[in-house]
Amino acid sequence: DLGSHWVSVLPASRARPPEPSPGIPLGTSTETLQTNLNESEDEKVYSSHLWTDSALYGNWVGGRGKGYSSRNSGTYYEQNLRYELFTTKASGDSLSLLMDTTYDNDDREFSDAFILNQLTLESRTPKTQATFGHAYPEFSPFTMSQQMFGLSGVQKFSHTNVKMFSGYRAVDNDSLRNPRQVNGMRLEHISDNSFTMGLNAVGTRDTHDNPSANRDLPTLRNKVYSFDMALNPGENWQFRAEYARSDTDFDQRSTVGNQYATAYRAEGSYLLEQLKAHAGVEAADTAFVSVLGESPRDQRAYFGDLCYELNQYFGLQLLGRTSRDNLDNYKRATLVRNEPEVKLTMHPS
């Protein structure tokens, strides 16, 4: 319980790979299977579109420690509807009003059935992108990997991109009375398609300015700085790494000093047309906290997965993760957790 908000701490490598998820987060370049239910010509000044995607997947969890595993076996269903209410285009520029909703009965990863309910006004030019509403600013896993409401934008130069966002985030409906103020900036350099590096800075601060706010609750302030890089030496190889440091004040009413901690992650992938092999390592100190990003606190873990797409309708995934928790007290109370998983994914549409 960090401050006045409930926070789900999910290790970075426990997030589901993007292949079986048909959700289309607003403001990202995620490519998923899409079916256009409207016929429209690109040269039209005004147009509207509807996309839909479905997935049915199940998994099995085994091992002696499966009772302590965060994964549960079962069968799950996911349905996404994305409607582009209107789009106007002129000389390569566009203005769009987007509505996106996704239903998912998988309670392992999501607290609510509707994981996406978004409304966004988006403006694009060849060099800029600006959004007002719900968005997923594309930063790095340790700094920003969640949804926010407010203003976000991207300014592109020849080999440099500047990304910024400012707004609010409420974890659930009860938190709407005390939303968290969030701000962030990313400076990204892209030499070519084979190498990218970025500097990230994000901040989160609780406010109790709302008249209905409970001022007896503590207020959290969190800052995370990170450096990340991506290397693609060939068509089939990908390497990613990130190093982050957090600065957290769990109760701004107290004069006690802040807690500082670091985290790192390194991973590599080998990709073919229908096959993907992925493995990596991540670790974080006990006091590492990333409110907006993926935060593997007090843990060192090794993970890997093998994904095979038979065709556009069926896919198979083999996943594994082994972790050691309670690192500060590892000589007496280390927790070793092994989490294997087998997943079969079907896209009906």
Side-chain angles (χ1 to χ4, degrees):
D1 185 9
L2 306 180
S4 59
H5 299 264
W6 176 85
V7 176
S8 175
V9 180
L10 296 176
S13 60
R14 249 188 54 203
R16 289 183 300 165
E19 286 79 10
S21 177
I24 311 172
L26 295 178
T28 73
S29 58
T30 305
E31 295 182 1
T32 59
L33 180 63
Q34 299 179 0
T35 302
N36 188 357
L37 301 184
N38 296 63
E39 295 182 359
S40 175
E41 300 178 4
D42 293 337
E43 58 268 18
K44 289 184 177 179
V45 176
Y46 170 84
S47 64
S48 64
H49 298 85
L50 174 65
W51 291 276
T52 181
D53 202 356
S54 305
L56 177 66
Y57 58 95
N59 67 288
W60 169 84
V61 178
R64 293 183 299 176
K66 74 175 184 178
Y68 301 98
S69 175
S70 59
R71 303 179 183 275
N72 300 318
S73 59
T75 303
Y76 307 103
Y77 172 79
E78 188 169 292
Q79 173 70 48
N80 170 256
L81 290 172
R82 173 186 169 107
Y83 186 52
E84 192 175 84
L85 297 178
F86 72 83
T87 296
T88 59
K89 298 182 180 179
S91 303
D93 303 341
S94 68
L95 179 66
S96 304
L97 181 63
L98 308 174
M99 183 170 59
D100 196 334
T101 182
T102 299
Y103 174 80
D104 196 315
N105 67 338
D106 186 350
D107 57 359
R108 304 176 308 159
E109 309 289 347
F110 313 106
S111 59
D112 300 318
F114 285 94
I115 59 174
L116 292 175
N117 281 296
Q118 305 179 113
L119 184 65
T120 297
L121 182 65
E122 179 182 79
S123 173
R124 287 179 179 265
T125 69
K127 291 291 185 179
T128 63
Q129 175 188 0
T131 62
F132 174 73
H134 297 92
Y136 279 84
E138 294 183 345
F139 278 33
S140 67
F142 281 150
T143 54
M144 182 60 175
S145 63
Q146 302 184 30
Q147 183 196 80
M148 54 80 62
F149 182 87
L151 294 171
S152 64
V154 179
Q155 177 65 54
K156 299 181 180 180
F157 300 95
S158 58
H159 296 287
T160 304
N161 296 336
V162 179
K163 302 180 180 182
M164 302 181 67
F165 69 88
S166 179
Y168 294 90
R169 170 168 171 76
V171 179
D172 50 37
N173 291 334
D174 293 335
S175 301
L176 292 174
R177 294 177 300 176
N178 304 301
R180 280 183 162 148
Q181 295 183 1
V182 297
N183 300 276
M185 179 177 178
R186 172 178 172 85
L187 184 63
E188 182 180 77
H189 178 74
I190 306 175
S191 58
D192 51 34
N193 293 331
S194 63
F195 180 73
T196 303
M197 63 179 180
L199 294 172
N200 309 278
V202 299
T204 306
R205 184 170 65 89
D206 286 349
T207 59
H208 287 173
D209 298 333
N210 192 301
S212 62
N214 185 350
R215 290 175 172 78
D216 294 332
L217 296 175
T219 55
L220 172 76
R221 184 190 61 79
N222 173 253
K223 297 179 182 179
V224 180
Y225 309 94
S226 81
F227 169 76
D228 67 276
M229 59 185 301
L231 179 63
N232 302 323
E235 296 182 355
N236 304 110
W237 291 98
Q238 293 181 352
F239 297 97
R240 304 287 186 270
E242 183 178 6
Y243 180 82
R245 180 176 178 82
S246 69
D247 172 8
T248 307
D249 184 357
F250 290 95
D251 190 349
Q252 298 181 74
R253 301 171 302 179
S254 174
T255 58
V256 179
N258 302 342
Q259 294 192 16
Y260 304 91
T262 59
Y264 68 86
R265 191 182 197 213
E267 57 186 322
S269 301
Y270 180 74
L271 298 88
L272 295 176
E273 183 177 358
Q274 295 177 282
L275 180 69
K276 176 184 177 181
H278 172 247
V281 58
E282 65 183 1
D285 296 339
T286 303
F288 180 79
V289 177
S290 178
V291 176
L292 299 178
E294 299 166 346
S295 181
R297 300 178 61 193
D298 189 22
Q299 186 178 94
R300 181 174 62 253
Y302 303 92
F303 55 90
D305 58 83
L306 182 66
C307 305
Y308 178 72
E309 295 292 332
L310 180 61
N311 51 43
Q312 62 176 335
Y313 303 107
F314 296 96
L316 175 67
Q317 288 183 296
L318 305 176
L319 304 96
R321 173 183 171 86
T322 178
S323 62
R324 302 177 70 88
D325 297 0
N326 199 14
L327 298 179
D328 281 355
N329 198 24
Y330 69 95
K331 290 184 178 180
R332 291 176 293 175
T334 300
L335 302 177
V336 179
R337 186 172 299 162
N338 298 315
E339 299 184 53
E341 182 171 0
V342 178
K343 181 181 295 183
L344 177 64
T345 305
M346 181 181 68
H347 295 275
S349 60

